[in-house]
């Protein structure tokens, strides 16, 4: 099996907070997050501390810079108690993509959203993930209402943007 190679502009910031996916399961969904921080360096530091027990596969800064924390074929610890389409433990089969954002109504800059859509399109193409399988932490966290991120993100518009990128538009 061919392994995913992150593009060169993805800056490696390895996190120890991951493990193997069950039965070498391939990713079949993407979960979008907001890190609820003022500065991306705070999130990077937190996700790289073993005691946090938190990680994402990819963290995207407000200016569109991309950081690779956990290889997509490994199980990052981003979704917690979760369910998607009746299947629990979403970490087992998803890729966690986080946007640096306070998650308090702060707007998402266009450059960040565009880069997030590019990241998701690349991952969708490589892992054959349908754009309809892009969701949010708020929609997968259990019990519902436990998480709100990424607050203010227009998921439908984001999925349209990813779909357009996949079609080469």
């Amino acid at each position: 099996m061919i392994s995913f190679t992150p593009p060169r502009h993805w800056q490696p910031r390895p996190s120890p907070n991951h493990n193997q996916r069950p039965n070498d399961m391939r990713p079949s969904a993407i979960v979008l997050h907001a890190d609820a921080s003022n500065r991306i360096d705070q999130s990077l530091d937190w996700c790289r501390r073993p005691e946090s027990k938190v990680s994402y596969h990819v963290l995207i800064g407000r200016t569109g810079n991309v950081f690779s924390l956990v290889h997509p074929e490994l199980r990052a610890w981003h979704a917690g108690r979760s369910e998607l389409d009746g299947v629990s433990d979403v970490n087992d089969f998803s890729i966690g993509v986080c946007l640096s954002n306070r998650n308090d109504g702060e707007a998402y800059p266009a450059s960040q959203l565009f880069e997030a859509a590019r990241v998701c399109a690349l991952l969708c193409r490589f892992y054959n993930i349908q754009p309809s399988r892009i969701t949010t932490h708020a929609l997968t966290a259990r019990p519902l209402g436990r998480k709100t991120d990424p607050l203010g993100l227009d998921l439908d518009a984001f999925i349209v943007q990813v779909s357009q990128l996949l079609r080469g538009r």
Side-chain angles (χ1 to χ4, degrees):
M1 175 179 4
I2 297 172
S3 180
F4 177 80
T5 302
R8 287 188 185 147
H9 74 281
W10 290 19
Q11 300 170 55
R13 296 292 190 281
S15 170
N17 301 326
H18 65 273
N19 57 336
Q20 293 294 320
R21 293 185 187 273
N23 303 314
D24 294 319
M25 185 179 293
R26 284 182 58 90
S28 64
I30 295 173
V31 179
L32 301 173
H33 298 264
D35 64 2
S37 76
N38 288 314
R39 297 188 351 242
I40 195 166
D41 61 320
Q42 295 169 329
S43 290
L44 288 168
D45 180 59
W46 182 244
C47 290
R48 297 177 75 199
R49 291 182 187 203
E51 63 269 20
S52 76
K53 296 183 167 85
V54 172
S55 60
Y56 309 103
H57 293 92
V58 177
L59 179 60
I60 302 169
R62 289 167 175 85
T63 61
N65 45 342
V66 181
F67 298 92
S68 175
L69 282 71
V70 174
H71 194 281
E73 287 157 26
L74 295 171
R75 183 180 178 275
W77 304 342
H78 59 93
R81 291 186 319 263
S82 54
E83 181 181 307
L84 179 62
D85 295 335
V87 181
S88 62
D89 205 351
V90 175
N91 286 337
D92 287 349
F93 57 88
S94 68
I95 296 173
V97 174
C98 184
L99 304 173
S100 189
N101 182 281
R102 290 188 311 269
N103 204 50
D104 64 355
E106 175 188 3
Y108 296 91
S111 58
Q112 183 184 42
L113 288 176
F114 179 73
E115 193 59 42
R118 282 182 27 159
V119 165
C120 289
L122 178 68
L123 294 167
C124 284
R125 186 172 287 119
F126 188 87
Y127 291 106
N128 198 29
I129 298 170
Q130 296 304 308
S132 60
R133 295 275 294 170
I134 298 172
T135 188
T136 67
H137 196 198
L139 293 172
T140 60
R142 296 297 182 265
L144 280 173
R146 182 174 66 87
K147 296 292 182 177
T148 61
D149 62 307
L151 187 66
L153 177 81
D154 184 339
L155 181 60
D156 292 333
F158 184 81
I159 290 171
V160 166
Q161 187 176 17
V162 171
S163 299
Q164 289 172 340
L165 288 169
L166 285 169
R167 289 193 303 267
R169 293 185 184 168

